[in-house]
Amino acid sequence: MTSMTSMTRTTGQPVIEVDALRKSYGGRAVVDGVSFAVEEGEIFGILGPNGAGKTTTVECVEGLRVPDAGRVRVTGLDPVADHERVSRVLGAQLQQSELQPKLTVREALELYASFHPSPADWRPLAERLGLTQKLTTRFARLSGGQKQRLFIALALIGNPRVVVLDELTTGLDPRARRDTWELIEDVRAGGVTVLLVTHFMEEAQRLCDRIAVIDKGRVAALDTPAGLIQRSASATVISFTPSAALDDAELNALPALASVAHKDGRITLSGTDETVNAVITLLARHHITAHQLRVMDATLDDAFLDLTKETAA
C-alpha cells in the first residue's frame, strides 16, 4: 500500500472548485458562502458536526442539488448544466446508499458497469476490494464492511478521476472502519482524487491531506490536519495524579494555560510546551510526585472543538 505522505499532487486547475456556494431550505441557509478547491491526487476532507451543511455541499458538487448562488466546477464542468459529462469523471458513494436486498454482488457490479460507456473491468476491482468470494452473495446478507466495499466498487466502476465518499464508515465497527481507511488510501494510490465527508476526527486526521471544517454552513477553517491542530488553544495536554494537593491559584497562573480540570484526584492541563515545563518546575518546587504522568499532543478533536466554539461565539 502506498503511503499517503509519499504522494505528490499535481498542480494546475483544481479537480473541484467551490466558490461562495449558498443553499437554503425554507428560508434557512444550510450552506452559507462555502469556498474550497480540491487538487488532483489528494484526499480532501470535509469535516463537521451533523447538520453543518457537509452533505448539501457535496450534493451540489455531484449535481444532485442546484445551488442558490455561487459557483461549482468539477474538472472545469458545471455539475448541473454538464451533468452527463461530470458523471463520467465523478463517482459517488452517497450517505444513504442502499441496493435491492436480493441483488447479488455480481449483479450489482454488472448493472452499474452497464451505466458507463467505458467502465472498469469489475473483476479485478472486486478482487482489489476483497469481494471475489462474495459475488453470489445477496446484498441483504453482506456485513456492514462488505457493503461499504461494494459501494466503493460501484463508485469506482466508471473509472472516475474523482470520487466522493460521504460518511463512508458510519455504523462500522473499529476493525471494519480501519480496513475501509486502508481501501481509501489504496484508491488514492491508484490515481483517484478523493473528496471525503466525515464527522470522525480520527478518520480525517488519518486520511486527509487537507480539511475544510464546516460549521453552521460556513468554512470555519481550511488547512492540513497538522495545521489545524497547531491552531488549537491547547496544543499539548498533560495529566497526572499529584502525591499532594496543589494550589489552584498556582495552577491557574501557569503560562499559556488553556484549561485545568480535576477528576477523581487527577489533574488535566491543556496548554503548550511552556505549560508542561512550568508544571514540572512547580511540582519539583513543592516536592510533589506526578503519578501516572501523561503528556500528549492535541488531536484534531481538540482543534475541532476550538474552531467550532469560535464560530459559535
Side-chain angles (χ1 to χ4, degrees), residues 70-303:
R71 180 177 181 272
V72 180
R73 294 292 183 269
V74 177
T75 64
L77 302 170
D78 184 324
V80 176
D82 302 307
H83 186 72
E84 183 176 348
R85 294 170 66 191
V86 168
S87 67
R88 296 174 186 170
V89 297
L90 184 146
Q93 169 269 329
L94 303 179
Q95 185 177 10
Q96 300 296 332
S97 298
E98 281 295 329
L99 294 175
Q100 206 280 335
K102 294 184 179 180
L103 200 67
T104 67
V105 170
R106 180 193 295 272
E107 290 169 341
L109 291 168
E110 290 177 340
L111 175 64
Y112 274 66
S114 71
F115 296 158
H116 301 278
S118 301
D121 185 344
W122 61 261
R123 294 165 184 82
L125 188 59
E127 178 69 28
R128 177 182 171 194
L129 292 169
L131 293 170
T132 302
Q133 304 303 316
K134 296 293 180 180
L135 291 178
T136 60
T137 303
R138 298 185 189 278
F139 178 78
R141 298 185 65 84
L142 296 176
S143 69
Q146 290 162 352
K147 288 179 179 178
Q148 297 297 47
R149 289 171 183 267
L150 177 57
F151 291 139
I152 293 175
L154 298 180
L156 295 174
I157 207 161
N159 278 319
R161 285 179 59 188
V162 57
V163 63
V164 178
L165 305 175
D166 190 357
E167 303 289 5
L168 184 65
T169 62
T170 296
L172 298 187
D173 61 53
R175 169 56 61 187
R177 180 172 295 130
R178 280 162 177 75
D179 288 346
T180 303
W181 292 349
E182 291 184 4
L183 290 176
I184 295 171
E185 291 174 327
D186 285 345
V187 166
R188 190 268 290 279
V192 180
T193 301
V194 178
L195 179 59
L196 176 68
V197 184
T198 183
H199 64 265
F200 290 115
M201 307 300 161
E202 184 184 1
E203 181 167 285
Q205 187 169 349
R206 156 81 180 265
L207 294 175
C208 298
D209 297 297
R210 293 186 299 136
I211 298 169
V213 178
I214 296 182
D215 187 41
K216 297 180 175 63
R218 299 182 179 183
V219 176
L222 197 165
D223 207 334
T224 64
L228 292 173
I229 291 169
Q230 287 175 358
R231 299 185 189 196
S232 175
S234 51
T236 305
V237 178
I238 179 171
S239 62
F240 58 93
T241 301
S243 60
L246 279 166
D247 185 357
D248 279 346
E250 289 189 284
L251 289 174
N252 289 322
L254 291 170
L257 181 72
S259 66
V260 56
H262 298 264
K263 183 177 181 180
D264 300 329
R266 191 164 181 81
I267 298 174
T268 300
L269 306 168
S270 298
T272 66
D273 288 344
E274 186 181 5
T275 313
V276 175
N277 294 332
V279 75
I280 291 173
T281 300
L282 175 64
L283 291 168
R285 186 166 65 244
H286 291 293
H287 304 289
I288 294 176
T289 301
H291 296 293
Q292 296 179 314
L293 177 66
R294 300 286 186 273
V295 180
M296 300 166 288
D297 289 333
T299 64
L300 191 58
D301 198 42
D302 300 311

Side-chain angles (χ1 to χ4, degrees), residues 40-64:
E40 186 169 6
E42 74 175 332
I43 300 178
F44 186 95
I46 296 182
L47 179 65
N50 292 331
K54 306 186 303 295
T55 294
T56 297
T57 297
V58 297
E59 286 177 345
C60 290
V61 170
E62 295 161 339
L64 300 178

